[in-house]
Amino acid sequence: MFAPAWVKDAIFYQIFPDRFCRSERYHAVGKFVEWGSKPTRENMFGGNLAGIEDKLEYIAGLGVNAIYLCPIFKSNSNHRYHTVDYFEIDPVLGTLEDFDRLVKKAHKLKIRVILDGVFNHCSRGFFQFNSLMELGPNSPYVDWFHVKGWPLNAYSGKPNYECWWNFPALPKFNTDCPDVREYLFSVGEYWMKRGIDGWRLDVPNEIDDDSFWQEFRRRVKAVNPDAYIVGEIWDDPLRWLKGDLFDGVMNYVFRKAVMQFLFDENPIDVAEFCERVRGAFVEGRGDIPMNLLGSHDTTRLGSQPRTSIERIKLAYALLFFMPGAPCIYYGEELSMKGGKDPDNRRSVPWENLGEMQKKPMYEFIRQMVDMRKKNSVLRDGSLDIRCEDNRLVVERRGKGVSMTLTVDVETFAGDLPFTIETKKI
């Protein structure tokens, strides 16, 4: 196995920092919307690193032992995928000291921390791109980007430089430039040396260059051989999982199968679901995927077309039965709702925490976490998923034991009861 061994035992919790928690221990300069406001693409709530630190005991109380933070570097967007400086913490979030304290406390609680690396593109406010806007072709950084004409149309008209999805705010790096490569590799090294446990890589397929990711992997692993490198790949991940690029991918193939099986208005049948899931997991390949049901890019489970508490519970039961590392999107345990971006990025209503913890999902997710931790077969066992007498059967088999999740397919018109059985073999 080329992926770090600890990941198979990991249970991740994804945090969108601006909306998770705003601690009064840190006061950012500026004006922020009231906590609980309706999220938009532009408004800032002022969540901060001190707030995340304050809630680490809450996260640990779920049984979670790893967190994945959406970008935390200096940026002028609430999601921070518009990076201005990769070596600075966004001042809305806090300071380097706040970051160091957060990582130290997380590790004390045996919680690992991975960061979001946005290395395909940056912000118009990124120093080197700003130099191009000021100096034009005379900028010393003219080779850092893909420029097609001068002056740059960065704020009006059609952008005359390559950018992510043609958004002028997101100029694309020229990763063929040695200086760009060295800069981005040094970012990967710097934060590893500050104590993080790995990287989640944003749209890595858009840097269509294996040598770039091979060198990124070499540099990161040289700092910490146990670093987890996971790529945001939405389709067939095989290219990225040969041992020289990523340790795993965000398993959107699995997520899509679950969504189309349980929540779509025109669902796939159980046979196709089994086939899709088999394709999402290849035994013996050496990778460890990050399995998910939701993220900052997807509609929450509670706002899906055919949602119900029974379907959500079944989705989570399937998640925790799969090989790899399950990942919980913040607030799912509190039955938070949210449609398409940006509605899926609401702030956590901590003032109503007690009431929300009484809802069924909070205790259910804790039970699923506990079940996975207590049963090594769910982390190490083989996977068999099949349709058997109008039942969906998911079986994990290990040394002397098997665990089986069984769903009565005939009841799909209403509730979705399932059973979990453990037996010696």
Side-chain angles (χ1 to χ4, degrees):
M1 178 175 289
F2 53 80
W6 65 265
V7 184
K8 66 180 175 60
D9 298 324
I11 297 167
F12 282 94
Y13 188 85
Q14 181 189 352
I15 294 175
F16 192 84
D18 188 59
R19 311 292 161 75
F20 188 65
C21 182
R22 184 169 64 196
S23 172
E24 292 303 317
R25 292 191 297 112
Y26 177 77
H27 293 279
V29 174
K31 184 178 181 181
F32 306 101
V33 298
E34 184 177 349
W35 201 257
S37 299
K38 181 180 179 180
T40 70
R41 295 190 184 278
E42 292 80 26
N43 61 3
M44 299 284 291
F45 284 60
N48 51 37
L49 296 183
I52 298 173
E53 182 190 349
D54 288 346
K55 300 301 180 183
L56 284 176
E57 286 89 356
Y58 165 83
I59 293 170
L62 288 171
V64 166
N65 55 15
I67 55 176
Y68 143 41
L69 300 178
C70 286
I72 61 172
F73 307 139
K74 191 174 183 180
S75 173
N76 283 314
S77 64
N78 54 37
H79 49 74
R80 298 185 175 87
Y81 286 91
H82 297 53
T83 311
V84 170
D85 192 320
Y86 290 81
F87 291 98
E88 288 189 31
I89 298 296
D90 191 303
V92 172
L93 284 175
T95 65
L96 271 174
E97 290 73 22
D98 292 325
F99 172 80
D100 291 340
R101 190 170 55 247
L102 169 62
V103 173
K104 183 178 180 180
K105 182 174 179 179
H107 286 168
K108 186 176 181 180
L109 292 170
K110 302 189 183 308
I111 297 174
R112 300 185 190 249
V113 180
I114 69 169
L115 297 185
D116 209 326
V118 188
F119 301 136
N120 174 69
H121 51 268
C122 60
S123 165
R124 283 175 299 208
F126 184 69
F127 175 80
Q128 287 83 348
F129 189 80
N130 197 255
S131 174
L132 267 66
M133 291 195 290
E134 295 293 334
L135 300 177
N138 296 307
S139 168
Y141 307 106
V142 68
D143 294 332
W144 281 50
F145 303 92
H146 303 272
V147 179
K148 301 174 182 178
W150 302 98
L152 293 182
N153 298 330
Y155 287 94
S156 63
K158 184 178 179 180
N160 53 355
Y161 52 92
E162 288 189 23
C163 39
W164 188 72
W165 281 28
N166 291 319
F167 291 129
L170 298 172
K172 179 178 172 63
F173 282 119
N174 174 17
T175 51
D176 290 333
C177 173
D179 289 340
V180 171
R181 295 168 82 94
E182 182 57 34
Y183 175 88
L184 295 175
F185 297 152
S186 69
V187 172
E189 291 174 315
Y190 176 80
W191 295 99
M192 290 303 306
K193 290 175 181 176
R194 289 202 85 97
I196 68 169
D197 299 286
W199 286 98
R200 178 268 190 188
L201 302 173
D202 184 64
V203 294
N205 56 307
E206 301 207 17
I207 301 179
D208 193 13
D209 177 0
D210 285 3
S211 68
F212 177 89
W213 293 118
Q214 286 165 348
E215 181 64 9
F216 180 87
R217 179 183 182 87
R218 187 189 71 78
R219 298 275 285 265
V220 165
K221 297 281 188 175
V223 179
N224 181 358
D226 276 339
Y228 181 47
I229 302 174
V230 57
E232 180 201 13
I233 302 295
W234 288 69
D235 47 21
D236 184 359
L238 180 60
R239 167 190 169 181
W240 309 97
L241 300 175
K242 297 179 180 179
D244 60 340
L245 301 176
F246 307 153
D247 297 313
V249 298
M250 297 183 75
N251 202 342
Y252 280 103
V253 174
F254 165 73
R255 178 191 178 273
K256 184 177 181 179
V258 174
M259 293 303 109
Q260 292 185 328
F261 181 52
L262 293 180
F263 298 102
D264 278 11
E265 293 177 338
N266 297 302
I268 59 176
D269 62 24
V270 66
E272 185 173 352
F273 175 70
C274 291
E275 183 178 355
R276 297 266 196 93
V277 173
R278 288 189 204 106
F281 301 95
V282 179
E283 191 172 356
R285 190 165 57 190
D287 62 298
I288 302 178
M290 178 188 285
N291 302 322
L292 69 158
L293 296 171
S295 73
H296 63 290
D297 289 320
T298 66
T299 297
R300 287 187 179 272
L301 296 188
S303 297
Q304 292 290 333
R306 291 198 308 156
T307 193
S308 69
I309 191 63
E310 293 80 15
R311 290 176 185 273
I312 295 174
K313 283 185 174 182
L314 175 55
Y316 267 97
L318 289 167
L319 176 73
F320 279 87
F321 246 75
M322 293 297 128
C327 183
I328 304 164
Y329 185 44
Y330 82 97
E332 285 292 316
E333 76 282 5
L334 301 176
S335 300
M336 285 178 62
K337 295 185 178 181
K340 294 181 179 180
D341 166 22
D343 190 47
N344 56 353
R345 304 171 181 181
R346 300 180 191 181
S347 56
V348 179
W350 295 109
E351 70 279 5
N352 297 325
L353 179 62
E355 288 301 311
M356 299 190 80
Q357 286 177 314
K358 294 177 183 178
K359 294 183 178 182
M361 284 311 300
Y362 181 78
E363 191 55 39
F364 182 78
I365 286 180
R366 289 185 63 186
Q367 290 171 0
M368 290 294 101
V369 170
D370 188 57
M371 175 187 72
R372 188 175 178 92
K373 285 187 170 183
K374 288 180 177 178
N375 294 279
S376 62
V377 68
L378 295 180
R379 307 189 302 275
D380 298 317
S382 62
L383 171 68
D384 179 28
I385 180 168
R386 60 191 184 270
C387 181
E388 187 178 276
D389 298 328
N390 286 320
R391 295 178 300 164
L392 169 64
V393 180
V394 184
E395 184 178 7
R396 303 293 304 275
R397 296 175 68 91
K399 295 180 180 180
V401 67
S402 74
M403 289 188 71
T404 305
L405 169 68
T406 305
V407 185
D408 187 348
V409 178
E410 291 183 343
T411 65
F412 269 30
D415 293 345
L416 296 177
F418 59 89
T419 59
I420 295 175
E421 180 184 11
T422 304
K423 63 180 180 181
K424 294 182 179 180
I425 53 175

